[in-house]
């Protein structure tokens, strides 16, 4: 995918684009995908259109695209919205986008999506992206931290990541990512995308997913730091029972009082179970 990861300041620079005078700019050389960024560009028009149809943006809505790459989705979105913000790490691609669209339509932020202040764009933000495989999980956690200012998220990811995001408790794919995203969002797999829809072709299948923040949270944690710590410990070594994984954090009697079997493993607990356990621990501190 076209990533947005590199070492830049937390407030990415904006790249100047065309003004209203349509001044002729020098032509840029064809872009070669950079392996260090994990770039795989979505090029199949049918899938681009399908993504736009699922997002169904209104003309005045605030959208942020992460990793626009060669701009296939960018151009399709700009046919539906009056203006668009994008964040791109690749300086060459950022310059290309700034050349292709006037500043009144497109604001290009050059920088690292993991450091970007999503709240700076206001509330009710709609996020869309063809996310880089190598940072998809930390970027999803980052977006989760800013859920209060986000209306929804539509992202292309490695299919295995989407499998984990939507896994049921008790399944092999169920893990820390499932629980942490499930706490904050309603997560939905929308459709799969084959490798042939990208250039260069990735070695794995992709999937497109939607995340909508819960409002209100169905199971709020009284201390989210405790909740995060419990979930991380439960999945740090998946073969361990909860009795061993949570040693020093939660006792067997405490687990049993909540209907949790200390001999079970972390993948058997629902989000609600983790929140209940975290709240019980927080109440004793």
């Amino acid at each position: 995918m076209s990533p947005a990861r590199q070492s830049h300041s937390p407030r990415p620079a904006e790249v100047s684009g065309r003004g209203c005078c349509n001044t002729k700019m020098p032509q840029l050389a064809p872009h070669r995908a950079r392996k260090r960024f994990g770039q795989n560009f979505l090029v199949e028009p049918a899938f681009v259109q399908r993504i736009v149809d699922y997002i169904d943006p209104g003309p005045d809505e605030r959208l942020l695209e992460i990793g626009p790459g060669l701009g296939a989705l960018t151009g399709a979105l700009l046919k539906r919205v009056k203006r668009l913000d994008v964040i791109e790490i690749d300086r060459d691609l950022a310059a290309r986008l700034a050349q292709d669209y006037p500043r009144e339509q497109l604001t290009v932020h050059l920088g690292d999506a993991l450091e970007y202040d999503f709240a700076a764009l206001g509330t009710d933000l709609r996020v869309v992206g063809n996310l880089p495989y190598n940072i998809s999980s930390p970027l999803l956690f980052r977006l989760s931290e800013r859920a209060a200012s986000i209306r929804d998220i539509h992202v292309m990811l490695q299919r295995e990541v989407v499998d984990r995001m939507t896994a049921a408790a008790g399944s092999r794919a169920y893990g820390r990512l499932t629980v942490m995203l499930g706490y904050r969002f309603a997560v939905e797999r929308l459709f799969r995308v084959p490798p042939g829809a990208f250039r260069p072709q990735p070695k794995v299948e992709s999937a497109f997913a939607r995340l909508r923040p819960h409002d209100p949270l169905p199971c709020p944690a009284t201390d989210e730091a405790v909740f995060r710590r419990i979930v991380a410990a439960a999945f740090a070594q998946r073969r361990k029972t909860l009795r061993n994984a949570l040693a020093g954090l939660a006792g067997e009697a405490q687990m049993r009082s909540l209907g949790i079997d200390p001999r079970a493993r972390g993948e058997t607990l629902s989000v609600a179970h983790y929140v209940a356990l975290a709240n019980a621990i927080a109440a004793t501190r």
Side-chain angles (χ1 to χ4, degrees):
M1 303 294 176
S2 171
R5 176 123 173 78
Q6 195 177 11
S7 188
H8 289 285
S9 64
R11 295 185 63 84
E14 291 185 7
V15 180
S16 297
R18 291 195 289 118
C20 59
C21 58
N22 292 325
T23 303
K24 187 176 179 65
M25 299 291 287
Q27 293 298 308
L28 297 171
H31 183 81
R32 293 185 61 185
R34 294 185 167 102
K35 287 187 178 180
R36 72 180 185 275
F37 290 159
Q39 290 176 339
N40 300 91
F41 304 112
L42 182 64
V43 296
E44 176 54 55
F47 284 109
V48 172
Q49 187 57 52
R50 197 173 180 188
I51 288 171
V52 175
D53 289 343
Y54 267 105
I55 299 170
D56 192 23
D60 296 311
E61 292 177 342
R62 193 69 183 266
L63 268 69
L64 171 68
E65 183 185 2
I66 299 174
L70 296 176
L73 182 57
T74 307
L77 288 171
L78 282 171
K79 293 178 181 178
R80 301 281 294 271
V81 299
K82 294 178 182 177
R83 62 183 305 274
L84 176 68
D85 287 87
V86 301
I87 179 167
E88 175 59 61
I89 193 169
D90 190 310
R91 291 180 180 274
D92 293 342
L93 292 177
R96 187 182 299 268
L97 289 165
Q99 173 179 308
D100 288 344
Y101 299 97
R103 291 189 297 270
E104 294 76 16
Q105 277 190 295
L106 186 70
T107 301
V108 182
H109 305 271
L110 176 65
D112 185 343
L114 285 175
E115 298 178 357
Y116 187 76
D117 182 9
F118 297 97
L121 294 179
T123 59
D124 208 32
L125 180 65
R126 308 193 70 187
V127 178
V128 58
N130 185 10
L131 299 191
Y133 292 157
N134 57 337
I135 63 160
S136 56
S137 292
L139 187 49
L140 289 168
F141 285 132
R142 173 72 171 170
L143 289 168
S144 178
E145 295 171 358
R146 299 294 182 268
S149 61
I150 293 173
R151 183 201 298 189
D152 57 22
I153 302 168
H154 291 82
V155 283
M156 184 80 72
L157 298 155
Q158 187 175 346
R159 192 193 74 182
E160 181 268 337
V161 175
V162 177
D163 288 346
R164 289 192 284 128
M165 290 165 58
T166 57
S171 66
R172 179 175 294 182
Y174 188 84
R176 178 175 173 241
L177 183 68
T178 324
V179 175
M180 297 307 298
L181 292 183
Y183 171 75
R184 191 73 66 185
F185 300 100
V187 184
E188 180 183 5
R189 180 208 304 273
L190 299 177
F191 57 87
R192 295 181 179 182
V193 183
F198 302 88
R199 293 293 183 275
Q201 292 189 24
K203 296 179 180 180
V204 296
E205 193 173 41
S206 301
F208 191 62
R210 174 190 289 142
L211 298 85
R212 288 186 170 133
H214 292 304
D215 187 20
L217 291 174
C219 304
T222 54
D223 187 330
E224 292 190 356
V226 173
F227 171 69
R228 289 192 296 270
R229 187 178 178 191
I230 289 294
V231 175
F235 291 103
Q237 297 182 33
R238 293 181 65 97
R239 294 179 62 85
K240 281 190 174 184
T241 64
L242 292 169
R243 173 197 294 128
N244 294 326
L246 302 181
L249 295 173
E252 289 189 41
Q254 193 171 42
M255 289 187 231
R256 293 187 189 280
S257 71
L258 298 170
I260 298 171
D261 184 352
R263 298 168 298 178
R265 291 188 170 91
E267 65 265 25
T268 64
L269 267 60
S270 67
V271 174
H273 278 127
Y274 277 108
V275 171
L277 183 57
N279 288 349
I281 294 170
T284 63
R285 296 191 169 188

